[in-house]
């Protein structure tokens, strides 16, 4: 993750886009304590949005909130297990009470834990769907009335190119991520009359600390080199900058679409 000061400095210096329509809007990000989610939190805060984020990792979430608070962009962090829908609904209500109606929802939380077909049980299948897909629907359901009240809003569902590449050794994860395309399109049709836009943001292999630590080996580096059209590492901030555009009024007539940020791999 880039430092908050650097993100704010680059935006104010004009290196990357600023979106005046995001200033003062309430933005909710799930899974925001680390990795791609933390970059979302940082970048939306630097735009002047009122940012709230959820994560099950309380220590990392509190550390990020403190770090950004020191730079003048203090987000609201709430610990939440998104697989617990009652807890998710309560946390969203708490954000609404603290920051006002939610204008932007970034459904980011997921867990790409590797697993083999033979290892999957009905219980582990349900758990995988809960952490990678189910909460996206219920979070969207919980903010719809806010967005109707505001006259519109933006929901950004995080997918993955993993199912497009036919990645193995994580069948439940890949199933969940493929299903998000259908979720986005169904929500976009039903919510469009209210000015609510719904899009999918599909990352490639993003070089977060977790990915480097667990899975990036020499074979992985060769695969990146061969797969991507652009020669370079895909970073969390590359996803964050696309999310800013999809949340801002600049994308006001864009909905039901997939936006792939992967260096040209899929």
């Amino acid at each position: 993750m880039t430092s908050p000061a650097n993100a704010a400095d680059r935006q104010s210096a004009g290196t990357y886009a600023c979106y005046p329509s995001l200033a003062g809007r309430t933005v909710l990000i799930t899974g925001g304590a680390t990795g791609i989610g933390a970059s979302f939190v940082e970048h939306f805060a630097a735009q002047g949005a009122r940012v709230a984020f959820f994560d099950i990792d309380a220590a990392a979430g509190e550390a990020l909130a403190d770090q950004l608070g020191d730079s003048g962009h203090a987000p609201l962090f709430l610990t939440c297990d998104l697989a617990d829908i009652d807890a998710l609904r309560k946390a969203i209500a708490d954000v609404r009470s603290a920051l006002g109606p939610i204008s932007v929802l970034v459904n980011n939380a997921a867990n790409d834990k590797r697993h083999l077909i033979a290892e999957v049980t009905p219980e582990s299948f349900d758990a995988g769907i809960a952490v990678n897909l189910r909460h996206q629907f219920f979070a969207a359901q919980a903010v719809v009335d806010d967005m109707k009240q505001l006259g519109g809003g933006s929901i950004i569902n995080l997918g993955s190119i993993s199912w497009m590449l036919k990645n193995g050794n994580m069948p439940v994860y890949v199933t969940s991520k493929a299903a998000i395309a259908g979720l986005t399109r169904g929500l976009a049709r039903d919510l469009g009359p209210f000015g609510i836009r719904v899009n999918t943001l599909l990352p490639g292999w993003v070089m977060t600390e977790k990915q480097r630590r667990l899975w990036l080996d020499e074979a992985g580096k060769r695969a990146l080199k061969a797969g991507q059209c652009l020669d370079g590492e895909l970073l969390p901030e590359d996803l964050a900058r696309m999310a800013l555009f999809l949340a801002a009024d600049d994308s006001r007539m864009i909905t039901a679409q997939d936006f792939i940020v992967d260096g040209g791999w899929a």
Side-chain angles (χ1 to χ4, degrees):
M1 186 184 71
T2 56
S3 71
N6 286 342
D9 289 346
R10 284 199 304 272
Q11 286 163 3
S12 63
T15 306
Y16 296 116
C18 291
Y19 296 97
S21 62
L22 293 177
R25 287 187 177 171
T26 300
V27 177
L28 173 59
I29 298 160
T30 68
T34 60
I36 298 172
S39 191
F40 289 152
V41 172
E42 172 193 346
H43 280 75
F44 276 101
Q47 294 283 336
R50 294 191 295 260
V51 178
F53 68 105
F54 300 157
D55 207 287
I56 199 169
D57 187 341
E62 290 167 1
L64 178 62
D66 289 345
Q67 179 187 2
L68 293 173
D70 290 343
S71 69
H73 304 285
L76 172 65
F77 169 63
L78 296 174
T79 305
C80 183
D81 179 357
L82 299 175
D84 182 341
I85 301 303
D86 287 339
L88 172 62
R89 287 169 169 161
K90 181 182 183 304
I92 290 173
D94 290 342
V95 170
R96 183 181 300 115
S97 295
L99 302 180
I102 295 161
S103 176
V104 177
L105 170 65
V106 183
N107 271 321
N108 168 71
N111 187 341
D112 60 348
K113 180 180 179 181
R114 275 42 173 180
H115 53 278
L116 301 176
I117 293 173
E119 298 171 346
V120 176
T121 65
E123 294 77 17
S124 70
F125 184 94
D126 289 347
I129 296 296
V131 76
N132 293 310
L133 172 65
R134 186 179 66 171
H135 67 85
Q136 293 205 12
F137 172 84
F138 285 103
Q141 182 191 63
V143 303
V144 164
D145 286 345
D146 291 35
M147 294 182 180
K148 288 180 179 179
Q149 173 189 334
L150 293 167
S154 176
I155 298 172
I156 303 167
N157 297 323
L158 267 289
S160 170
I161 67 166
S162 59
W163 65 272
M164 305 170 91
L165 297 179
K166 299 174 284 294
N167 285 357
N169 296 326
M170 47 180 178
V172 180
Y173 175 80
V174 171
T175 298
S176 302
K177 288 300 184 179
I180 290 168
L183 173 64
T184 288
R185 283 160 176 74
L187 291 176
R189 170 56 67 184
D190 290 340
L191 299 179
F194 305 101
I196 301 170
R197 299 175 291 107
V198 190
N199 291 289
T200 307
L201 179 52
L202 295 96
W205 194 359
V206 183
M207 291 297 103
T208 64
E209 184 279 329
K210 176 184 175 183
Q211 296 297 317
R212 295 182 194 277
R213 174 169 46 86
L214 294 180
W215 295 303
L216 182 62
D217 54 15
E218 290 305 314
K221 292 176 183 178
R222 289 193 295 271
L224 281 171
K225 187 79 171 177
Q228 291 184 180
C229 297
L230 296 175
D231 187 11
E233 290 188 342
L234 186 64
L235 300 174
E237 50 263 42
D238 296 313
L239 276 299
R241 286 191 282 271
M242 178 59 80
L244 293 177
F245 170 73
L246 293 175
D249 289 352
D250 299 61
S251 58
R252 71 177 191 89
M253 290 300 290
I254 297 175
T255 196
Q257 301 302 310
D258 296 333
F259 290 86
I260 300 173
V261 180
D262 70 345
W265 196 343

